[in-house]
Amino acid sequence: MQVYLDNAATTQMDKAVAHIMQTYSLEKFANPSSIHYLGEEVYNDVEKAKAKVAKILNAAPQDLIFTGSASEANNFIIKGVARANKDKGKHIIVSEIEHPCVLGPAKELVQEGFKVTYAPVDKNGRIKITELKKMISDDTVLVSIITANNEIGTIQDIKKIAKLVKKSGAFFHTDAVQVVPYLKIDVKDLGVDFLTLSAHKFHGPKGVGMAYINRSVKIKALISGGEQNHGLRAGTIDVAGIIGFSKALDLAYRNRDKKIEKVKKLRDYFLEEINKNIKDVHLNGHDKLRLENNLNLRFNGVEGEAILMDLSNQGICVSTGSACSAKNLRTSYVLQALRIDPKYLNSNVRFTLSKNTTKAELDYTVKKLKETVKRLRSFSPIK
Amino acid sequence: MALNYTKKTLNHFLKPKNIGEIKNADAYAEIGNMVCGDQLNFSIRVQKGKIKDVKFLSFGCASNIATASIMTEKVKGMSLEEAKNYDWNKIVADLGGLPQQKVHCSIMAVEGLKKVIDNYEDKKDVKKDSKKELKKVMKKKSTKVSTKKSAKKKK
């Protein structure tokens, strides 16, 4: 049985998305920058697709810049805003639990003379807002806080944080890559200046990210050399990608409540069954303010990657933010930010569901997980 | 990043050999810890200078378990001297290769083995030394020290 419980890493593309992308690869393949009839037709279709995305996010189509990934979008925003607003200040705040594609550009900016401070989180992964408030100064130009972290799924009060940041005069960005469809995104209501999305996290294609930008804020292009995207992102428009992004986002938000309820019910059932069958399991992250599809669990006495490999051998795909799975062998900095006892940092497994997850898959997983943990604990020196 | 464990590594991970702890073993050793992410506990039984039995417990990833499994299989019956110098490259080769970031597991396994043999030899030395012998050793040491001192004086 194949069971895919790694939907925070990526999701299975919806058939309807694949079909429409095929049309824009095989038939309507013209370059939208071309002015002949076929180019014009494709251009108009891309504009329609963008308008659909803009409507869902309560933004204007010209506020959306499509990129080659969310990593690119985050790089573009963090570096682009900082570099274009040096006169305003040279201080940036990011949370301790940002995705590496926010932390990376922030570190790069340090080389350019910027100061970066890291907003701490509490034991559940929630931003300590009073601490954040203290960090903001007249020199602060940009604050970036992830809407919901990819490892633990803890949801932040973005509206409140955005308000606080904006009041200080700094700009605010949020990486919302993990939240579709679990949270509604209304950029006006949230009060953010910048927001990032990624199509492959909501059953769309890989290789398509999106940056929502407040166009009244100066921003420097990351990729120059073409007039596409108002000169903010050069490169031939990824027609199939944008069409696929738009289709996937539209589908994701259809019957949203029903989908979320289904996923939440399954997730809660899954946790209940795990607790019924396996002793000494602990939940990482917030028990309520977390994405409905996320479970990050600690299995005392066993190593996370061993569980992953054992399950993988039986057709089950999960993930571990822990030491061994990563190339650099470092333990998860996200779990470290929760100030978890270091001896527990290597015993964690992340399970992320999607609308396609079934009860039968979870029952099978519980059964295999029980056997795996029992086996590994049987020869663990940690009692 | 794909690890691409070999079939042999996976087999040793899924069905490890020599797991457990020998009761009243001749020596025990622990290497690594939970914080660094890997821990191995070894126990050995020695007979006539050879490893009669060796077992291990593991808190570790798939390759940690697999490397200890294949190593214990290979060193059973070996002389202590030979086992102490067991080359971690052999483990990697026997498994048909390990991903670069997992090679350290094989090094940890041989270090753990060396540690348990060292513990055995230390214990044996203490047992062997009768009180007299101990005294002799003490005497020798003190004479050595005094010779050194006298040598210094001579200078």
Side-chain angles (χ1 to χ4, degrees), chain B residues 50-81:
Chain B
K50 283 182 178 174
I51 295 178
K52 191 169 182 260
D53 197 10
V54 52
K55 285 192 187 300
F56 76 97
L57 297 172
S58 156
F59 170 87
C61 61
S63 70
N64 172 279
I65 295 165
T67 50
S69 169
I70 199 159
M71 181 192 71
T72 51
E73 207 178 41
K74 298 281 175 183
V75 301
K76 230 186 254 186
M78 246 181 214
S79 74
L80 294 183
E81 211 42 44

PDB file of all heavy atoms in Angstrom, chain B residues 50-81:
ATOM      1  N   LYS B  50      39.677 -14.342  22.154  1.00  0.00           N
ATOM      2  CA  LYS B  50      38.870 -14.099  20.957  1.00  0.00           C
ATOM      3  C   LYS B  50      37.464 -13.650  21.346  1.00  0.00           C
ATOM      4  O   LYS B  50      36.989 -13.969  22.439  1.00  0.00           O
ATOM      5  CB  LYS B  50      38.774 -15.380  20.128  1.00  0.00           C
ATOM      6  CG  LYS B  50      40.039 -15.658  19.337  1.00  0.00           C
ATOM      7  CD  LYS B  50      39.881 -16.888  18.494  1.00  0.00           C
ATOM      8  CE  LYS B  50      41.152 -17.108  17.671  1.00  0.00           C
ATOM      9  NZ  LYS B  50      41.118 -18.359  16.937  1.00  0.00           N
ATOM     10  N   ILE B  51      36.823 -12.931  20.444  1.00  0.00           N
ATOM     11  CA  ILE B  51      35.453 -12.485  20.707  1.00  0.00           C
ATOM     12  C   ILE B  51      34.509 -13.661  20.509  1.00  0.00           C
ATOM     13  O   ILE B  51      34.317 -14.133  19.384  1.00  0.00           O
ATOM     14  CB  ILE B  51      35.052 -11.311  19.782  1.00  0.00           C
ATOM     15  CG1 ILE B  51      35.926 -10.097  20.097  1.00  0.00           C
ATOM     16  CG2 ILE B  51      33.570 -10.969  19.963  1.00  0.00           C
ATOM     17  CD1 ILE B  51      35.667  -8.893  19.239  1.00  0.00           C
ATOM     18  N   LYS B  52      33.962 -14.143  21.632  1.00  0.00           N
ATOM     19  CA  LYS B  52      33.058 -15.288  21.524  1.00  0.00           C
ATOM     20  C   LYS B  52      31.660 -14.800  21.138  1.00  0.00           C
ATOM     21  O   LYS B  52      30.975 -15.387  20.328  1.00  0.00           O
ATOM     22  CB  LYS B  52      32.996 -16.030  22.846  1.00  0.00           C
ATOM     23  CG  LYS B  52      32.275 -17.349  22.662  1.00  0.00           C
ATOM     24  CD  LYS B  52      32.390 -18.256  23.854  1.00  0.00           C
ATOM     25  CE  LYS B  52      31.689 -19.567  23.589  1.00  0.00           C
ATOM     26  NZ  LYS B  52      30.342 -19.639  24.187  1.00  0.00           N
ATOM     27  N   ASP B  53      31.281 -13.665  21.730  1.00  0.00           N
ATOM     28  CA  ASP B  53      29.964 -13.118  21.399  1.00  0.00           C
ATOM     29  C   ASP B  53      30.012 -11.591  21.523  1.00  0.00           C
ATOM     30  O   ASP B  53      30.747 -11.057  22.360  1.00  0.00           O
ATOM     31  CB  ASP B  53      28.900 -13.696  22.343  1.00  0.00           C
ATOM     32  CG  ASP B  53      27.485 -13.498  21.793  1.00  0.00           C
ATOM     33  OD1 ASP B  53      27.355 -13.091  20.608  1.00  0.00           O
ATOM     34  OD2 ASP B  53      26.523 -13.734  22.540  1.00  0.00           O
ATOM     35  N   VAL B  54      29.242 -10.941  20.702  1.00  0.00           N
ATOM     36  CA  VAL B  54      29.132  -9.478  20.783  1.00  0.00           C
ATOM     37  C   VAL B  54      27.704  -9.090  20.423  1.00  0.00           C
ATOM     38  O   VAL B  54      27.114  -9.646  19.488  1.00  0.00           O
ATOM     39  CB  VAL B  54      30.178  -8.769  19.880  1.00  0.00           C
ATOM     40  CG1 VAL B  54      30.128  -9.289  18.451  1.00  0.00           C
ATOM     41  CG2 VAL B  54      29.994  -7.255  19.896  1.00  0.00           C
ATOM     42  N   LYS B  55      27.139  -8.189  21.213  1.00  0.00           N
ATOM     43  CA  LYS B  55      25.777  -7.712  20.932  1.00  0.00           C
ATOM     44  C   LYS B  55      25.741  -6.183  21.041  1.00  0.00           C
ATOM     45  O   LYS B  55      26.621  -5.585  21.650  1.00  0.00           O
ATOM     46  CB  LYS B  55      24.780  -8.325  21.927  1.00  0.00           C
ATOM     47  CG  LYS B  55      24.456  -9.802  21.637  1.00  0.00           C
ATOM     48  CD  LYS B  55      23.263 -10.237  22.448  1.00  0.00           C
ATOM     49  CE  LYS B  55      22.979 -11.720  22.344  1.00  0.00           C
ATOM     50  NZ  LYS B  55      22.707 -12.182  20.978  1.00  0.00           N
ATOM     51  N   PHE B  56      24.710  -5.613  20.452  1.00  0.00           N
ATOM     52  CA  PHE B  56      24.605  -4.150  20.534  1.00  0.00           C
ATOM     53  C   PHE B  56      23.161  -3.682  20.687  1.00  0.00           C
ATOM     54  O   PHE B  56      22.222  -4.379  20.304  1.00  0.00           O
ATOM     55  CB  PHE B  56      25.245  -3.483  19.308  1.00  0.00           C
ATOM     56  CG  PHE B  56      24.406  -3.568  18.060  1.00  0.00           C
ATOM     57  CD1 PHE B  56      23.588  -2.503  17.676  1.00  0.00           C
ATOM     58  CD2 PHE B  56      24.424  -4.698  17.257  1.00  0.00           C
ATOM     59  CE1 PHE B  56      22.800  -2.577  16.528  1.00  0.00           C
ATOM     60  CE2 PHE B  56      23.650  -4.784  16.113  1.00  0.00           C
ATOM     61  CZ  PHE B  56      22.835  -3.716  15.741  1.00  0.00           C
ATOM     62  N   LEU B  57      23.035  -2.495  21.270  1.00  0.00           N
ATOM     63  CA  LEU B  57      21.763  -1.778  21.332  1.00  0.00           C
ATOM     64  C   LEU B  57      21.978  -0.475  20.574  1.00  0.00           C
ATOM     65  O   LEU B  57      23.087   0.065  20.558  1.00  0.00           O
ATOM     66  CB  LEU B  57      21.376  -1.465  22.778  1.00  0.00           C
ATOM     67  CG  LEU B  57      21.120  -2.660  23.698  1.00  0.00           C
ATOM     68  CD1 LEU B  57      20.952  -2.182  25.139  1.00  0.00           C
ATOM     69  CD2 LEU B  57      19.881  -3.424  23.252  1.00  0.00           C
ATOM     70  N   SER B  58      20.923   0.039  19.949  1.00  0.00           N
ATOM     71  CA  SER B  58      21.097   1.262  19.162  1.00  0.00           C
ATOM     72  C   SER B  58      19.968   2.258  19.358  1.00  0.00           C
ATOM     73  O   SER B  58      18.789   1.896  19.360  1.00  0.00           O
ATOM     74  CB  SER B  58      21.191   0.899  17.676  1.00  0.00           C
ATOM     75  OG  SER B  58      20.819   2.004  16.882  1.00  0.00           O
ATOM     76  N   PHE B  59      20.361   3.508  19.542  1.00  0.00           N
ATOM     77  CA  PHE B  59      19.448   4.632  19.356  1.00  0.00           C
ATOM     78  C   PHE B  59      20.069   5.359  18.179  1.00  0.00           C
ATOM     79  O   PHE B  59      21.052   6.084  18.333  1.00  0.00           O
ATOM     80  CB  PHE B  59      19.412   5.540  20.593  1.00  0.00           C
ATOM     81  CG  PHE B  59      18.678   6.839  20.350  1.00  0.00           C
ATOM     82  CD1 PHE B  59      17.314   6.920  20.522  1.00  0.00           C
ATOM     83  CD2 PHE B  59      19.365   7.967  19.914  1.00  0.00           C
ATOM     84  CE1 PHE B  59      16.637   8.104  20.272  1.00  0.00           C
ATOM     85  CE2 PHE B  59      18.691   9.161  19.668  1.00  0.00           C
ATOM     86  CZ  PHE B  59      17.322   9.230  19.856  1.00  0.00           C
ATOM     87  N   GLY B  60      19.554   5.100  16.999  1.00  0.00           N
ATOM     88  CA  GLY B  60      20.199   5.714  15.838  1.00  0.00           C
ATOM     89  C   GLY B  60      19.420   5.475  14.575  1.00  0.00           C
ATOM     90  O   GLY B  60      18.397   4.790  14.564  1.00  0.00           O
ATOM     91  N   CYS B  61      19.942   6.057  13.513  1.00  0.00           N
ATOM     92  CA  CYS B  61      19.271   5.978  12.225  1.00  0.00           C
ATOM     93  C   CYS B  61      19.532   4.621  11.579  1.00  0.00           C
ATOM     94  O   CYS B  61      20.254   3.783  12.126  1.00  0.00           O
ATOM     95  CB  CYS B  61      19.733   7.109  11.328  1.00  0.00           C
ATOM     96  SG  CYS B  61      21.497   7.065  10.998  1.00  0.00           S
ATOM     97  N   ALA B  62      18.975   4.427  10.409  1.00  0.00           N
ATOM     98  CA  ALA B  62      19.074   3.149   9.712  1.00  0.00           C
ATOM     99  C   ALA B  62      20.524   2.711   9.528  1.00  0.00           C
ATOM    100  O   ALA B  62      20.860   1.553   9.748  1.00  0.00           O
ATOM    101  CB  ALA B  62      18.363   3.250   8.364  1.00  0.00           C
ATOM    102  N   SER B  63      21.396   3.631   9.156  1.00  0.00           N
ATOM    103  CA  SER B  63      22.775   3.222   8.886  1.00  0.00           C
ATOM    104  C   SER B  63      23.547   2.960  10.175  1.00  0.00           C
ATOM    105  O   SER B  63      24.465   2.160  10.199  1.00  0.00           O
ATOM    106  CB  SER B  63      23.494   4.257   8.018  1.00  0.00           C
ATOM    107  OG  SER B  63      23.719   5.428   8.735  1.00  0.00           O
ATOM    108  N   ASN B  64      23.139   3.614  11.252  1.00  0.00           N
ATOM    109  CA  ASN B  64      23.747   3.338  12.555  1.00  0.00           C
ATOM    110  C   ASN B  64      23.481   1.877  12.936  1.00  0.00           C
ATOM    111  O   ASN B  64      24.378   1.150  13.363  1.00  0.00           O
ATOM    112  CB  ASN B  64      23.153   4.304  13.591  1.00  0.00           C
ATOM    113  CG  ASN B  64      23.566   3.997  15.021  1.00  0.00           C
ATOM    114  OD1 ASN B  64      22.999   3.121  15.649  1.00  0.00           O
ATOM    115  ND2 ASN B  64      24.559   4.704  15.520  1.00  0.00           N
ATOM    116  N   ILE B  65      22.255   1.454  12.750  1.00  0.00           N
ATOM    117  CA  ILE B  65      21.858   0.086  13.083  1.00  0.00           C
ATOM    118  C   ILE B  65      22.535  -0.913  12.132  1.00  0.00           C
ATOM    119  O   ILE B  65      23.115  -1.908  12.558  1.00  0.00           O
ATOM    120  CB  ILE B  65      20.314  -0.053  13.028  1.00  0.00           C
ATOM    121  CG1 ILE B  65      19.680   0.824  14.125  1.00  0.00           C
ATOM    122  CG2 ILE B  65      19.880  -1.503  13.179  1.00  0.00           C
ATOM    123  CD1 ILE B  65      18.190   1.069  13.957  1.00  0.00           C
ATOM    124  N   ALA B  66      22.509  -0.586  10.841  1.00  0.00           N
ATOM    125  CA  ALA B  66      23.067  -1.493   9.834  1.00  0.00           C
ATOM    126  C   ALA B  66      24.573  -1.673   9.995  1.00  0.00           C
ATOM    127  O   ALA B  66      25.088  -2.787   9.879  1.00  0.00           O
ATOM    128  CB  ALA B  66      22.740  -0.979   8.439  1.00  0.00           C
ATOM    129  N   THR B  67      25.289  -0.589  10.270  1.00  0.00           N
ATOM    130  CA  THR B  67      26.758  -0.693  10.390  1.00  0.00           C
ATOM    131  C   THR B  67      27.135  -1.535  11.607  1.00  0.00           C
ATOM    132  O   THR B  67      28.022  -2.384  11.527  1.00  0.00           O
ATOM    133  CB  THR B  67      27.431   0.688  10.488  1.00  0.00           C
ATOM    134  OG1 THR B  67      26.778   1.460  11.482  1.00  0.00           O
ATOM    135  CG2 THR B  67      27.407   1.432   9.178  1.00  0.00           C
ATOM    136  N   ALA B  68      26.424  -1.326  12.723  1.00  0.00           N
ATOM    137  CA  ALA B  68      26.726  -2.110  13.923  1.00  0.00           C
ATOM    138  C   ALA B  68      26.384  -3.574  13.684  1.00  0.00           C
ATOM    139  O   ALA B  68      27.119  -4.474  14.108  1.00  0.00           O
ATOM    140  CB  ALA B  68      25.943  -1.570  15.113  1.00  0.00           C
ATOM    141  N   SER B  69      25.291  -3.810  12.966  1.00  0.00           N
ATOM    142  CA  SER B  69      24.861  -5.178  12.689  1.00  0.00           C
ATOM    143  C   SER B  69      25.909  -5.942  11.878  1.00  0.00           C
ATOM    144  O   SER B  69      26.347  -7.021  12.257  1.00  0.00           O
ATOM    145  CB  SER B  69      23.529  -5.151  11.943  1.00  0.00           C
ATOM    146  OG  SER B  69      23.210  -6.424  11.440  1.00  0.00           O
ATOM    147  N   ILE B  70      26.330  -5.347  10.778  1.00  0.00           N
ATOM    148  CA  ILE B  70      27.275  -6.069   9.897  1.00  0.00           C
ATOM    149  C   ILE B  70      28.649  -6.192  10.559  1.00  0.00           C
ATOM    150  O   ILE B  70      29.329  -7.197  10.410  1.00  0.00           O
ATOM    151  CB  ILE B  70      27.351  -5.421   8.488  1.00  0.00           C
ATOM    152  CG1 ILE B  70      27.943  -6.424   7.498  1.00  0.00           C
ATOM    153  CG2 ILE B  70      28.163  -4.134   8.493  1.00  0.00           C
ATOM    154  CD1 ILE B  70      27.601  -6.121   6.050  1.00  0.00           C
ATOM    155  N   MET B  71      29.029  -5.192  11.338  1.00  0.00           N
ATOM    156  CA  MET B  71      30.342  -5.252  11.999  1.00  0.00           C
ATOM    157  C   MET B  71      30.373  -6.363  13.039  1.00  0.00           C
ATOM    158  O   MET B  71      31.320  -7.157  13.077  1.00  0.00           O
ATOM    159  CB  MET B  71      30.680  -3.910  12.642  1.00  0.00           C
ATOM    160  CG  MET B  71      32.042  -3.922  13.303  1.00  0.00           C
ATOM    161  SD  MET B  71      32.290  -2.482  14.354  1.00  0.00           S
ATOM    162  CE  MET B  71      31.190  -2.850  15.706  1.00  0.00           C
ATOM    163  N   THR B  72      29.324  -6.440  13.857  1.00  0.00           N
ATOM    164  CA  THR B  72      29.315  -7.471  14.894  1.00  0.00           C
ATOM    165  C   THR B  72      29.342  -8.863  14.258  1.00  0.00           C
ATOM    166  O   THR B  72      29.978  -9.785  14.782  1.00  0.00           O
ATOM    167  CB  THR B  72      28.070  -7.346  15.794  1.00  0.00           C
ATOM    168  OG1 THR B  72      26.908  -7.279  14.975  1.00  0.00           O
ATOM    169  CG2 THR B  72      28.140  -6.114  16.675  1.00  0.00           C
ATOM    170  N   GLU B  73      28.697  -8.976  13.123  1.00  0.00           N
ATOM    171  CA  GLU B  73      28.685 -10.248  12.417  1.00  0.00           C
ATOM    172  C   GLU B  73      30.115 -10.645  11.998  1.00  0.00           C
ATOM    173  O   GLU B  73      30.509 -11.789  12.116  1.00  0.00           O
ATOM    174  CB  GLU B  73      27.807 -10.097  11.176  1.00  0.00           C
ATOM    175  CG  GLU B  73      27.167 -11.364  10.709  1.00  0.00           C
ATOM    176  CD  GLU B  73      26.268 -11.097   9.497  1.00  0.00           C
ATOM    177  OE1 GLU B  73      26.645 -10.310   8.606  1.00  0.00           O
ATOM    178  OE2 GLU B  73      25.184 -11.670   9.458  1.00  0.00           O
ATOM    179  N   LYS B  74      30.853  -9.640  11.518  1.00  0.00           N
ATOM    180  CA  LYS B  74      32.199  -9.906  10.979  1.00  0.00           C
ATOM    181  C   LYS B  74      33.246 -10.155  12.061  1.00  0.00           C
ATOM    182  O   LYS B  74      34.200 -10.880  11.831  1.00  0.00           O
ATOM    183  CB  LYS B  74      32.656  -8.733  10.097  1.00  0.00           C
ATOM    184  CG  LYS B  74      31.775  -8.491   8.890  1.00  0.00           C
ATOM    185  CD  LYS B  74      32.057  -9.457   7.762  1.00  0.00           C
ATOM    186  CE  LYS B  74      31.055  -9.232   6.636  1.00  0.00           C
ATOM    187  NZ  LYS B  74      31.200 -10.169   5.538  1.00  0.00           N
ATOM    188  N   VAL B  75      33.095  -9.490  13.203  1.00  0.00           N
ATOM    189  CA  VAL B  75      34.180  -9.574  14.193  1.00  0.00           C
ATOM    190  C   VAL B  75      34.020 -10.749  15.162  1.00  0.00           C
ATOM    191  O   VAL B  75      34.927 -11.032  15.941  1.00  0.00           O
ATOM    192  CB  VAL B  75      34.350  -8.268  15.016  1.00  0.00           C
ATOM    193  CG1 VAL B  75      34.645  -7.097  14.091  1.00  0.00           C
ATOM    194  CG2 VAL B  75      33.132  -7.995  15.882  1.00  0.00           C
ATOM    195  N   LYS B  76      32.899 -11.413  15.102  1.00  0.00           N
ATOM    196  CA  LYS B  76      32.712 -12.578  15.978  1.00  0.00           C
ATOM    197  C   LYS B  76      33.757 -13.633  15.632  1.00  0.00           C
ATOM    198  O   LYS B  76      33.927 -13.978  14.469  1.00  0.00           O
ATOM    199  CB  LYS B  76      31.302 -13.134  15.813  1.00  0.00           C
ATOM    200  CG  LYS B  76      30.618 -13.333  17.150  1.00  0.00           C
ATOM    201  CD  LYS B  76      29.299 -14.006  16.996  1.00  0.00           C
ATOM    202  CE  LYS B  76      28.165 -13.029  17.197  1.00  0.00           C
ATOM    203  NZ  LYS B  76      26.852 -13.709  17.191  1.00  0.00           N
ATOM    204  N   GLY B  77      34.465 -14.111  16.648  1.00  0.00           N
ATOM    205  CA  GLY B  77      35.504 -15.112  16.418  1.00  0.00           C
ATOM    206  C   GLY B  77      36.876 -14.513  16.192  1.00  0.00           C
ATOM    207  O   GLY B  77      37.888 -15.215  16.188  1.00  0.00           O
ATOM    208  N   MET B  78      36.936 -13.241  16.014  1.00  0.00           N
ATOM    209  CA  MET B  78      38.216 -12.565  15.776  1.00  0.00           C
ATOM    210  C   MET B  78      39.007 -12.419  17.070  1.00  0.00           C
ATOM    211  O   MET B  78      38.420 -12.354  18.150  1.00  0.00           O
ATOM    212  CB  MET B  78      37.928 -11.155  15.254  1.00  0.00           C
ATOM    213  CG  MET B  78      38.379 -10.934  13.839  1.00  0.00           C
ATOM    214  SD  MET B  78      37.997  -9.247  13.379  1.00  0.00           S
ATOM    215  CE  MET B  78      37.628  -9.508  11.662  1.00  0.00           C
ATOM    216  N   SER B  79      40.333 -12.343  16.945  1.00  0.00           N
ATOM    217  CA  SER B  79      41.153 -12.054  18.123  1.00  0.00           C
ATOM    218  C   SER B  79      40.897 -10.600  18.517  1.00  0.00           C
ATOM    219  O   SER B  79      40.520  -9.776  17.679  1.00  0.00           O
ATOM    220  CB  SER B  79      42.627 -12.255  17.807  1.00  0.00           C
ATOM    221  OG  SER B  79      43.083 -11.184  17.004  1.00  0.00           O
ATOM    222  N   LEU B  80      41.120 -10.318  19.797  1.00  0.00           N
ATOM    223  CA  LEU B  80      40.863  -8.952  20.281  1.00  0.00           C
ATOM    224  C   LEU B  80      41.711  -7.942  19.523  1.00  0.00           C
ATOM    225  O   LEU B  80      41.238  -6.852  19.186  1.00  0.00           O
ATOM    226  CB  LEU B  80      41.150  -8.862  21.781  1.00  0.00           C
ATOM    227  CG  LEU B  80      40.230  -9.684  22.687  1.00  0.00           C
ATOM    228  CD1 LEU B  80      40.586  -9.451  24.139  1.00  0.00           C
ATOM    229  CD2 LEU B  80      38.761  -9.336  22.441  1.00  0.00           C
ATOM    230  N   GLU B  81      42.945  -8.328  19.261  1.00  0.00           N
ATOM    231  CA  GLU B  81      43.875  -7.419  18.595  1.00  0.00           C
ATOM    232  C   GLU B  81      43.348  -7.056  17.203  1.00  0.00           C
ATOM    233  O   GLU B  81      43.325  -5.899  16.803  1.00  0.00           O
ATOM    234  CB  GLU B  81      45.260  -8.088  18.510  1.00  0.00           C
ATOM    235  CG  GLU B  81      46.442  -7.145  18.547  1.00  0.00           C
ATOM    236  CD  GLU B  81      46.319  -6.024  19.568  1.00  0.00           C
ATOM    237  OE1 GLU B  81      45.893  -6.305  20.719  1.00  0.00           O
ATOM    238  OE2 GLU B  81      46.615  -4.869  19.219  1.00  0.00           O
TER     239      GLU B  81
END
